[in-house]
């Protein structure tokens, strides 16, 4: 079936991109589209051409898979199609109904007019893939809306709705009715060509031309450094500078060169991996064609930190939530948190007052479990204690309607043990949100041994409704994310005991490697008491571990919440949450090291060793989770780390990073760590197997079945 459809109306040729799912302008599609445009150009009976798209959108842009394949001399790309438009003497109109992104929008920018329906969204999101708009976008957009506005639009990479795009000057009209009809009418009446490439006047808009070097140098300063997440941003700024400085054709050539460099770069490969890994998440063997249940009303048991955050997630998704919280003061605190959060959003202009009010009102508090009887899904978020949780589920099972799903937000407890107290283990699972639940994008879906495909399908549908990155995990201690973080924490603690100050470890992991936060700042944020409780409940986790957590716990240095943890916090300094180096903690580490006979070698530990010990601890445990089937795919682990723990997306997540470094190098280093530091560094068998053939995690197949250990 042809992916390009054409129809003629009154001398106007309508070219429809029909290449499901997103009309991606792949090499193959461009090879089909190019002769269609050339034929229209050569047809004397045609005065104008309208581009539009089927499948509910204009185009999702270039085919991202193509960037991993080498083009041949015969390959046709969006650039070739645009060149054919550019040299044509016909009028071209883009009739956009739905998303016009990346190369799709660049095709529209090459047209004389751009019209869109009000539901349309326009964007140049290439930066999110570590790329820049490479089909003329960096040269045409500055000529259309001014260099500064164009730079901001492309550096953000977010989409603008039709109304905003019209305000920015990207669209000529937002069309209330049928956009193709209006495009045909306009094309027939349009007096002349209006190619953006011919425009120079708009370029300086928002900039005094003389100020260009200043604007450019400021822009370079405002984006992350090249080697730490900003590689594409700097090249994008260079491309826009070229748009202002050079004639169109030379600017275009510069853009192409910069684009090609980025397409071959490691950060872009990593970001493209993250893009596809996200889209793999819900593809779970065994779910088959199970249809999700409708979830219209949700119950939440426990209105503490997590329960309240989870309730906000549902309110934001337009799903009513009833929260059972027996403690009156906690209900007040929860209401204040909800009210405060929505007020803040209204003040920031992110939400209309009316909508904020509606969302706030959709969360109802009660102390009567009977109010949950008609819920479709109930999520438990009470204290992390198995007996309390079992009591809650026994009660819920008796009250909540038989078809409803029950879920626990536990961080560490056994899902099957909870399911066992109910008569519906097939409708039982873990839904592990991350704090703050209404902000963190990650959701771990924990499959119990009896969880049915329909229950899983419902959980993924809920994840999608909440706009979370939902990752499946087997029911195993710590699931995916926390199981791995324990070993990361072990190494951070070990390094500190060897005499590397926590602030240095954090600085290396954040500023040099690119984590959103260093490990010790993260532990202070989540609470030292949380780490301590986990270590108490699972003694096996103590292997190779410093005693510092016990010391801090005894000293009630519980982290940010008590103003002291691995760092000091001073309310009068900045936001009050800035970690301040505390030499007392360094002394505690030194004392513990002395007791354990650990030699001080802080001065000889390089930044490289810090990065390796922390990231390779993640990789080794990740390999173990893959082998035992706790995680389905390496990409699932990567998504957990990028979205739940601030792992730098330009390194793609820990398992992608292992491939980037080379698995045999990772294996060699881990063997050396085992010899130097002990058996907790024993390499995972899957890592050995992959490394010995110099293979990649990215090439292993998804597990068919998740284990329930
Ligand atoms: N290339 C290849 N595949 C793509 C794609 C693209 N540009 N965009 C989407 N897909 C695939 C997805 O992988 C998914 O495949 P699957 O079903 O096999 O998993 C399928 O299309 C549907 O995608 P989504 O699940 O994301 O569907 P949604 O309806 O939720 O979202 C969308 C649609 C808003 C278009 C979203 O897919 C998206 O944001 N796509 C990427 C847009 C983008 O970044 N474009 C720029 C590309 S780079 C470029 O154009 C370079 C140019 O400057 C030269
Ligand atoms: P919290 O202590 O803030 O809240 C628990 C709430 O449950 C309290 O308000 C308490 O009054 C209420 N509660 C206790 N017993 C109850 C019962 N029988 N019926 C109704 N309500 C009851 O605890 P938090 O931090 O919200 O944690 C809740 C759960 O979420 C725990 O299982 C925890 O492990 C998990 N979790 C916590 C995360 C965190 O960072 N705080 C992250 C992810 C999961």
């Amino acid at each position: 079936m042809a992916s390009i459809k054409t129809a003629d109306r009154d001398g106007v040729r309508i070219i429809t991109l029909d290449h499901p799912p997103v009309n991606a302008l792949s090499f193959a599609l461009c090879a089909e589209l190019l002769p269609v445009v050339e034929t229209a150009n050569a047809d004397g009976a045609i005065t104008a051409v309208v581009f539009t798209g089927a499948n509910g959108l204009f185009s999702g842009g270039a085919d991202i898979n193509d960037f991993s394949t080498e083009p041949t001399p015969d390959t046709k790309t969006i650039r070739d199609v645009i060149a054919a438009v550019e040299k044509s003497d016909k009028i071209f109109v883009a009739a956009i109904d739905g998303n016009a992104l990346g190369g799709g929008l660049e095709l529209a920018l090459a047209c004389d007019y751009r019209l869109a329906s009000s539901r349309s969204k326009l964007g140049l999101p290439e930066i999110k893939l570590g790329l820049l708009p490479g089909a003329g976008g960096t040269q045409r957009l500055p000529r259309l809306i001014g260099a500064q506005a164009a730079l901001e639009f492309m550096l953000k990479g977010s989409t603008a709705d039709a109304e905003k795009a019209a305000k920015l000057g990207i669209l000529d009209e937002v069309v209330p009715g049928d956009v193709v009809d209006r495009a045909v009418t306009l094309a027939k009446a349009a007096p002349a060509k209006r190619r953006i490439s011919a425009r120079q006047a708009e370029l300086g808009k928002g900039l005094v031309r003389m100020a260009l070097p200043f604007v450019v140098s400021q822009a370079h300063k405002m984006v992350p450094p090249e080697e730490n997440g900003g590689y594409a941003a700097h090249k994008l700024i260079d491309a826009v500078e070229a748009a202002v400085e050079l004639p169109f054709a030379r600017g275009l050539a510069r853009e192409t060169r910069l684009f090609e460099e980025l397409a071959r770069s490691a950060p872009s490969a990593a970001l493209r991996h993250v893009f596809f890994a996200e889209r793999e998440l819900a593809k779970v063997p065994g779910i088959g064609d199970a249809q999700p249940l409708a979830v219209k009303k949700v119950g939440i048991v426990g209105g503490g930190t997590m329960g309240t955050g989870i309730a906000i997630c549902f309110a934001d998704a337009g799903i009513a939530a009833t929260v059972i919280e027996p403690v009156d003061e906690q209900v007040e605190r929860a209401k204040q948190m909800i009210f405060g959060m929505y007020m803040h959003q209204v003040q920031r202009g992110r939400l209309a007052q009316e909508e904020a009010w509606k969302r706030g009102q959709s969360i109802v508090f009660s102390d009567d479990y009977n109010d949950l009887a008609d819920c479709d899904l109930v999520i438990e978020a009470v204290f992390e204690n198995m007996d309390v949780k079992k009591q809650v589920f026994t009660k819920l099972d008796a009250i909540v309607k038989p078809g409803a799903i029950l879920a626990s937000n536990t961080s560490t407890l056994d899902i099957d043990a909870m399911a066992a107290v109910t008569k519906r283990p097939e409708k039982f699972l873990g839904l592990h949100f991350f704090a703050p639940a209404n902000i963190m994008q990650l959701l771990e879906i924990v499959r119990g041994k009896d969880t049915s495909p329909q229950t899983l399908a419902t959980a993924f549908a809920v994840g999608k409704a909440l706009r979370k990155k939902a990752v499946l995990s087997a029911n195993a201690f710590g699931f995916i994310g926390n199981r791995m973080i324990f070993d990361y924490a072990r190494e951070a603690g070990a390094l500190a005991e060897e005499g590397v100050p926590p602030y240095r470890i954090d600085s290396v992991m954040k500023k040099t490697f690119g984590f959103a936060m260093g490990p010790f700042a993260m532990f202070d944020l989540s609470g030292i008491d949380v780490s301590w409780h986990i270590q108490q409940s699972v003694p096996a986790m103590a292997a190779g571990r410093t005693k510092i957590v016990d010391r801090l716990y005894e000293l009630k240095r519980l982290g940010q919440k008590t103003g002291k943890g691995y760092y000091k916090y001073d309310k009068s300094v900045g936001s009050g949450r800035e970690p301040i180096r505390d030499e007392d903690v360094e002394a505690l580490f030194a004392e513990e090291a002395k007791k354990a006979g650990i030699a001080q070698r802080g001065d000889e530990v390089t930044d490289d060793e810090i990065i390796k010990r922390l990231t390779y601890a993640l990789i080794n445990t990740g390999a173990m989770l893959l082998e035992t089937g706790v995680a389905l795919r390496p990409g699932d682990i990567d998504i957990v780390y990028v979205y739940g723990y601030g792992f730098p997306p330009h390194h793609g997540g820990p398992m992608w990073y292992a491939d980037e470094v080379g698995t045999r190098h990772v294996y060699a280093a881990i063997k050396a760590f085992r010899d130097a530091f002990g058996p907790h560094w024993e390499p995972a068998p899957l890592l050995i197997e992959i490394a010995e053939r110099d293979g990649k995690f990215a090439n292993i197949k998804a597990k068919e079945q998740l284990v329930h250990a």
Side-chain angles (χ1 to χ4, degrees):
M1 195 187 76
S3 302
I4 306 291
K5 307 273 184 330
T6 59
D8 289 352
R9 228 191 275 173
D10 302 338
V12 176
R13 179 145 304 160
I14 301 164
I15 300 180
T16 305
L17 310 177
D18 185 1
H19 182 44
V22 299
N23 306 331
L25 289 152
S26 60
F27 291 166
L29 189 75
C30 291
E32 218 181 302
L33 180 56
L34 179 61
V36 173
V37 173
E38 283 169 341
T39 306
N41 286 349
D43 190 336
I46 295 294
T47 57
V49 175
V50 169
F51 283 121
T52 192
N55 309 306
L57 78 170
F58 186 74
S59 169
D63 188 323
I64 299 165
N65 294 295
D66 285 345
F67 304 134
S68 311
T69 57
E70 253 335 285
T72 68
D74 294 333
T75 300
K76 298 295 176 235
T77 70
I78 311 174
R79 285 185 208 123
D80 298 303
V81 176
I82 287 177
V85 171
E86 188 73 37
K87 70 170 191 235
S88 171
D89 56 6
K90 318 280 182 202
I91 301 280
F92 279 77
V93 184
I96 299 168
D97 184 21
N99 279 305
L101 303 175
L105 179 55
E106 290 175 290
L107 177 63
L109 288 172
C111 295
D112 300 278
Y113 297 89
R114 283 155 298 283
L115 314 179
S117 62
S118 57
R119 72 178 191 95
S120 301
K121 292 207 164 97
L122 280 69
L124 292 171
E126 285 86 344
I127 191 89
K128 295 187 175 166
L129 299 167
L131 300 167
L132 51 74
T138 66
Q139 306 304 298
R140 286 190 177 86
L141 196 62
R143 285 175 164 79
L144 186 64
I145 66 171
Q148 203 156 338
L151 191 55
E152 275 169 30
F153 187 77
M154 292 186 284
L155 279 175
K156 265 199 193 145
S158 47
T159 53
D161 59 27
E163 201 186 319
K164 182 159 178 229
K167 252 191 214 144
L168 278 168
I170 301 174
L171 287 174
D172 296 293
E173 278 180 37
V174 180
V175 179
D178 187 296
V179 71
V180 175
D181 286 352
R182 172 67 191 131
V184 170
T185 310
L186 177 80
K188 282 193 300 181
K193 293 203 299 181
R194 288 157 86 235
R195 297 291 150 82
I196 295 172
S197 53
R199 295 186 201 183
Q200 292 296 331
E202 297 289 311
L203 265 171
K205 215 159 101 179
L207 303 166
V208 181
R209 223 186 124 68
M210 293 293 287
L212 179 69
F214 175 72
V215 170
V216 166
S217 73
Q218 284 304 307
H220 279 296
K221 278 187 202 146
M222 282 169 70
V223 297
E226 277 215 6
E227 64 291 351
N228 197 354
Y231 193 56
H234 289 280
K235 297 225 176 319
L236 177 48
I237 298 165
D238 291 347
V240 172
E241 188 181 10
V244 182
E245 295 276 285
L246 302 176
F248 185 76
R250 282 184 55 207
L252 215 51
R254 173 79 55 89
E255 176 198 85
T256 302
R257 181 173 59 72
L258 293 168
F259 179 88
E260 297 301 336
E261 273 176 48
L262 289 174
R264 281 192 296 270
S265 71
S268 175
L271 289 162
R272 276 150 30 206
H273 157 70
V274 171
F275 176 87
F276 286 117
E278 267 180 59
R279 280 150 185 88
E280 284 294 295
L281 295 176
K283 294 174 191 160
V284 173
I287 286 199
D289 51 8
Q291 291 304 305
L293 295 166
V295 175
K296 297 208 176 92
K297 185 181 169 193
V298 169
I300 295 161
V301 185
T305 313
M306 294 308 289
T308 309
I310 295 169
I312 295 172
C313 294
F314 282 99
D316 286 346
I319 299 172
T322 298
V323 182
I324 303 294
E325 171 56 58
V327 180
D328 289 346
E329 301 84 75
Q330 184 52 40
V331 172
E332 275 321 301
R333 268 199 295 273
K335 284 184 176 168
Q336 270 171 23
M337 177 181 157
I338 295 166
F339 179 75
M341 196 275 308
Y342 282 128
M343 276 282 287
H344 181 72
Q345 297 223 27
V346 171
Q347 279 160 0
R348 285 283 184 105
R350 291 193 199 132
L351 206 59
Q353 180 115 30
E354 219 173 290
E355 179 60 23
W357 175 252
K358 200 173 114 197
R359 291 186 193 182
Q361 292 300 105
S362 73
I363 304 173
V364 176
F365 286 86
S366 163
D367 56 5
D368 184 357
Y369 276 61
N370 288 305
D371 289 345
L372 304 183
D374 60 344
C375 285
D376 305 299
L377 164 69
V378 180
I379 303 171
E380 163 280 311
V382 303
F383 304 130
E384 186 75 342
N385 176 302
M386 184 55 98
D387 291 337
V388 178
K389 291 196 191 273
K390 279 184 175 170
Q391 281 166 23
V392 168
F393 282 115
T394 306
K395 211 161 163 183
L396 285 173
D397 193 39
I399 289 173
V400 181
K401 67 182 179 189
I405 293 174
L406 303 182
S408 172
N409 180 49
T410 180
S411 317
T412 52
L413 301 175
D414 180 359
I415 292 296
D416 291 329
M418 290 178 229
V421 303
T422 74
K423 294 190 187 65
R424 57 181 105 188
E426 76 290 354
K427 291 200 176 293
F428 199 99
L429 81 171
L431 288 178
H432 184 213
F433 290 78
F434 287 70
N438 53 313
I439 293 175
M440 294 298 287
Q441 289 197 65
L442 180 64
L443 172 67
E444 283 181 330
I445 294 180
V446 186
R447 180 187 208 166
K449 71 180 165 47
D450 297 315
T451 309
S452 71
Q454 186 180 47
T455 302
L456 281 184
T458 309
F460 276 103
V462 166
K464 192 165 183 192
L466 303 187
R467 305 171 75 134
K468 300 282 183 201
K469 314 294 174 196
V471 180
L472 188 65
S473 168
N475 177 30
F477 175 73
F479 313 128
I480 297 173
N482 284 341
R483 176 64 193 82
M484 288 167 66
I485 211 72
F486 297 141
D487 293 338
Y488 177 82
R490 178 202 73 212
E491 276 317 292
L495 279 161
E497 257 184 1
E498 287 159 37
V500 189
Y503 81 91
R504 183 177 157 217
I505 298 172
D506 276 12
S507 165
V508 169
M509 294 315 288
K510 184 175 168 175
K511 297 199 182 118
T512 312
F513 188 71
F515 262 92
M517 212 181 231
F520 292 104
M522 183 174 77
F523 305 144
D524 272 358
L525 182 66
S526 59
I528 309 297
D529 47 334
V530 175
S531 320
W532 185 83
H533 279 294
I534 292 169
Q535 285 193 20
Q536 299 307 301
S537 63
V538 188
M541 296 309 299
R545 218 163 271 270
T546 164
K547 298 275 180 295
I548 193 84
V549 173
D550 298 331
R551 299 288 304 274
L552 295 179
Y553 186 77
E554 281 157 25
L555 292 167
K556 300 217 169 4
R557 295 188 66 125
L558 303 184
Q560 277 195 22
K561 62 177 114 176
T562 55
K564 275 185 180 179
Y566 289 104
Y567 291 99
K568 295 188 276 202
Y569 298 87
D570 184 342
K571 282 208 169 73
S572 62
V573 177
S575 66
R577 291 192 297 268
E578 287 304 303
I580 303 166
R581 179 179 180 180
D582 190 343
E583 288 175 8
D584 291 352
V585 172
E586 288 161 34
L588 280 182
F589 271 114
E591 268 176 42
E592 286 305 322
K594 202 167 176 191
K595 279 191 223 158
I598 297 166
Q600 296 299 284
R601 53 183 287 273
D603 291 342
E604 72 193 49
V605 174
T606 61
D607 291 359
D608 186 54
E609 179 181 335
I610 294 173
I611 292 171
K612 282 189 173 135
R613 282 178 61 187
L614 266 63
T615 57
Y616 293 5
L618 290 176
I619 294 167
N620 203 32
T621 309
M624 190 264 285
L625 295 183
L626 283 169
E627 171 142 29
T628 50
V630 173
L632 268 180
R633 289 166 283 244
D636 286 20
I637 295 179
D638 290 337
I639 295 297
V640 167
Y641 264 77
V642 167
Y643 287 104
Y645 297 85
F647 194 98
H650 57 274
H651 284 306
M655 307 321 286
W656 182 266
Y657 182 60
D659 289 351
E660 195 180 287
V661 172
T663 49
R664 68 197 160 92
H665 297 302
V666 175
Y667 174 41
I670 289 181
K671 276 195 294 188
F673 292 154
R674 177 196 54 200
D675 298 343
F677 305 116
H680 49 271
W681 267 112
E682 198 55 51
L686 181 66
L687 172 66
I688 300 176
E689 195 259 295
I690 295 175
E692 281 181 344
R693 57 180 161 80
D694 202 10
K696 285 182 184 294
F697 282 102
N699 295 337
I700 66 172
K701 290 219 162 60
K703 285 264 169 192
E704 285 306 305
Q705 206 66 49
L706 286 179
V707 295
H708 306 287

